[in-house]
């Protein structure tokens, strides 16, 4: 029997906003027959992030939730500490700048000299040693039920989104049990994750019972960001990289990929997986699904 499915976006604390005009632009072209066609394409905007007086990075983003993106980026780079006294987060829409101010004096010049470009879409960037800070990460051994996975996959894939409206975008969803809570989208999956990290930091949301669901590949960067956020499970429609799997195994992160219909692969954290749903009772995903994950 197929698990129950809810598609009402009111169930989300933050849901996608595919109809928000500033996120897409109408562009006219011609299709394969030569007929004139107008489609919506995703906007890209630069967002420069400052930590106190220091310029940290300029990210290309769709432009929604800039404060959350700035907070999450700084948190996931280790530039904001646990319990950091954040005195203000100010966004200037005209200048496309976010300034995060802390009570602590900060200087990350040395860290910024060492930069790693990751395999993320829109070119992900990690400052400093990619493994820096992971030695102190201790993830909770929270069980993950397969019934939750099937229910979440069905709900998320049926949620109206900017991806379904215009494509060329990744989605990341913070979940608890079988309920999706916060659904963020962006041109780079790392940006979508950082927005969720920023929301969690701003709202003081705990991570130990959460699941992170993404439409993107399970790369080293995605695994590291999830672990830095303290979330014990990472799930994707897409595939894995070897380094991403290796880091997940080392950190004790439950890693689920290729989650489509009744099918999935678990390459880390199998001992925490509770198989409480019969795959034979789950409808398989149509071959021509409206949402596709990257391999």
């Amino acid at each position: 029997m197929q698990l129950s499915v809810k598609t009402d976006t009111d169930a989300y604390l933050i849901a996608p906003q595919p109809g928000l005009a500033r996120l897409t632009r109408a562009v006219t072209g011609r299709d394969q027959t030569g007929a004139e066609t107008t489609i919506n394409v995703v906007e890209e905007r630069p967002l420069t992030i400052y930590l106190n007086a220091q310029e940290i990075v300029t990210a290309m983003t769709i432009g929604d939730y800039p404060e959350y993106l700035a907070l999450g980026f700084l948190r996931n780079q280790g530039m904001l500490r646990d319990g950091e006294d954040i005195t203000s987060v100010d966004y200037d829409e005209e200048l496309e700048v976010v300034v995060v101010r802390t009570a602590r004096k900060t200087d990350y010049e040395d860290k910024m000299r060492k930069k790693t470009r990751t395999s993320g879409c829109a070119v992900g960037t990690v400052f400093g040693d990619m493994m820096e800070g992971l030695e102190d990460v201790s993830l909770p051994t929270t069980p993950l039920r397969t019934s939750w996975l099937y229910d979440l996959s069905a709900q998320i894939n049926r949620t109206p989104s900017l991806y379904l409206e215009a494509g060329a975008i990744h989605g990341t969803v913070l979940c608890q049990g079988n309920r999706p809570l916060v659904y963020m989208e962006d041109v780079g999956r790392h940006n979508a994750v950082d927005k969720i990290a920023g929301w969690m930091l701003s709202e003081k949301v705990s991570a130990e019972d959460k699941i992170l669901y993404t439409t993107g590949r399970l790369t080293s960067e995605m695994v590291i960001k999830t672990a830095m956020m303290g979330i014990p499970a990472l799930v994707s429609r897409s595939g894995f990289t070897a380094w991403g799997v290796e880091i997940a195994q080392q950190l004790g992160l439950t890693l689920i990929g290729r989650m489509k219909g009744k099918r999935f692969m678990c390459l880390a954290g199998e001992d925490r997986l509770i198989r409480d749903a019969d795959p034979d009772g789950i409808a398989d995903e149509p071959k021509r699904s409206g949402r596709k994950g990257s391999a």
Side-chain angles (χ1 to χ4, degrees):
M1 182 174 65
Q2 176 68 55
L3 296 174
S4 61
V5 175
K6 298 178 182 178
T7 59
D8 187 356
T9 56
D10 290 341
Y12 288 85
L13 299 177
I14 297 179
Q17 304 177 80
L20 198 61
R22 70 186 303 269
L23 300 184
T24 61
R25 181 193 309 172
V27 176
T28 300
R30 294 188 181 274
D31 67 13
Q32 67 281 357
T33 68
E36 186 175 279
T37 305
T38 300
I39 64 170
N40 287 330
V41 297
V42 174
E43 289 277 15
E44 278 188 282
R45 293 181 172 84
L47 180 70
T48 302
I49 299 171
Y50 280 80
L51 179 56
N52 295 312
Q54 186 175 15
E55 180 179 338
I56 302 298
V57 73
T58 296
M60 297 306 297
T61 173
I62 60 174
D64 65 343
Y65 304 108
E67 295 93 343
Y68 290 153
L69 175 56
L71 282 172
F73 178 87
L74 295 172
R75 172 66 181 84
N76 283 339
Q77 301 303 325
M79 296 181 182
L80 293 178
R81 301 171 179 173
D82 291 338
E84 186 82 65
D85 184 2
I86 299 170
T87 57
S88 65
V89 182
D90 299 312
Y91 171 55
D92 188 308
E93 184 174 1
E94 185 176 351
L95 296 177
E96 297 178 312
V97 167
V98 176
V99 181
V100 177
R101 295 182 175 88
T102 62
R104 173 177 62 96
K105 184 177 180 181
T106 57
D107 182 1
Y108 287 105
E109 196 64 39
D110 289 341
K111 185 180 182 73
M112 291 171 62
R113 286 195 188 99
K114 187 175 181 182
K115 182 185 301 185
T116 303
R117 281 193 170 183
T118 70
S119 55
C121 298
V123 188
T125 301
V126 174
F127 291 105
D129 184 348
M130 285 188 69
M131 305 299 287
E132 182 181 343
L134 288 182
E135 64 275 4
D136 298 325
V137 170
S138 178
L139 295 175
T141 57
T142 306
L144 179 63
R145 295 181 175 274
T146 58
S147 60
W148 297 347
L149 294 177
Y150 290 130
D151 213 3
L152 288 171
S153 180
Q155 292 179 68
I156 292 167
N157 292 332
R158 287 167 172 79
T159 298
S161 66
L162 194 58
Y163 174 88
L164 296 177
E165 173 74 18
I169 203 163
H170 283 289
T172 300
V173 189
L174 181 70
C175 311
Q176 184 178 32
N178 70 339
R179 181 192 174 193
L181 303 175
V182 174
Y183 191 148
M184 296 291 191
E185 295 183 284
D186 214 299
V187 287
R189 58 184 174 271
H190 45 84
N191 286 348
V193 175
D194 286 340
K195 289 176 188 176
I196 286 179
W199 178 83
M200 293 177 69
L201 179 62
S202 178
E203 301 300 316
K204 298 180 172 57
V205 173
S206 61
E208 65 270 7
D209 61 345
K210 302 301 188 295
I211 303 163
L212 200 64
Y213 180 103
T214 179
T215 60
R217 297 181 299 275
L218 297 173
T219 63
S220 56
E221 182 186 23
M222 287 296 292
V223 170
I224 290 170
K225 283 181 180 287
T226 304
M228 292 294 286
M229 292 161 68
I231 296 175
L234 176 59
V235 181
S236 177
R237 291 177 52 80
S238 298
F240 313 81
T241 67
W243 197 14
V245 172
E246 182 179 338
I247 295 171
Q249 291 172 342
Q250 291 175 358
L251 295 176
L253 177 77
T254 303
L255 194 66
I256 305 286
R258 300 180 181 177
M259 181 79 201
K260 299 179 183 179
K262 68 176 67 177
R263 307 173 191 278
F264 67 82
M265 284 293 298
C266 179
L267 294 188
E270 165 69 25
D271 57 314
R272 292 179 290 283
L273 200 60
I274 299 175
R275 299 180 182 274
D276 64 337
D278 181 0
D280 291 337
I282 306 299
D284 216 344
E285 188 172 293
K287 290 184 178 179
R288 300 186 67 178
S289 175
R291 179 182 295 277
K292 297 179 181 179
S294 304

